[in-house]
Amino acid sequence: MRKSAPAESVDGYLSALPEEVRVALEKLGKIIKAAAPGTTEVISYRIPVLKYQGHPLIGFGAAKKHCSFFTMSSSMIPKLARMRAGELKGHDVSGATIHFTPDKPLPAALVTKIVKERIAENEKRAKRRV
């Protein structure tokens, strides 16, 4: 979807999107921020990424035919695979990424659950490094 120069900020990234997609991703961003206070927004890998304790936590972005919610963690792959028949039914899952469309957004409770799991992973990793 994005053919222009890479955005320098999350707001810049979102402002370049069609309204329906922008609104869907803004709502997703608000859910993520509510679940993960203290995160910082950056553009990384050419998409908006929220960092927690200096490490990527969650990312999101727009493609031509869908939006993506990037869990930024290979350890989430088996968890998402188990969710496919239940909480993620009707959404395409590719590795550690969930695809959705603006007319069928991800449930806020599910996004919050995944964000909390990622926070726990980042905190566990930080403790191992001490």
Side-chain angles (χ1 to χ4, degrees):
M1 173 169 284
R2 301 184 53 79
K3 300 261 182 194
S4 59
E8 294 183 21
S9 69
V10 174
D11 287 339
Y13 179 94
L14 294 171
S15 69
L17 299 173
E19 182 178 3
E20 181 180 58
V21 175
R22 179 183 48 78
V23 169
L25 291 180
E26 285 174 343
K27 286 180 183 176
L28 178 64
K30 286 178 183 176
I31 295 166
I32 295 167
K33 288 177 200 170
T39 55
T40 56
E41 290 182 325
V42 298
I43 294 293
S44 184
Y45 306 101
R46 298 179 69 139
I47 60 165
V49 171
L50 281 87
K51 287 187 168 187
Y52 180 76
Q53 297 181 347
H55 297 283
L57 181 70
I58 294 289
F60 56 88
K64 191 172 186 176
K65 296 187 180 198
H66 64 266
C67 298
S68 295
F69 178 59
F70 303 97
T71 64
M72 313 294 284
S73 169
S74 59
S75 67
M76 288 298 297
I77 294 171
K79 294 173 186 176
L80 296 177
R82 287 191 299 272
M83 292 181 188
R84 282 180 129 167
E87 296 162 296
L88 286 172
K89 190 172 185 175
H91 294 287
D92 181 39
V93 178
S94 177
T97 302
I98 305 167
H99 298 160
F100 64 98
T101 57
D103 63 324
K104 192 172 182 186
L106 297 172
L110 176 62
V111 171
T112 299
K113 176 181 176 179
I114 291 170
V115 170
K116 296 289 186 187
E117 286 190 37
R118 288 290 297 120
I119 288 171
E121 283 184 9
N122 276 16
E123 289 175 345
K124 188 176 179 180
R125 177 179 44 198
K127 285 179 185 176
R128 284 194 308 251
R129 291 184 176 171
V130 174

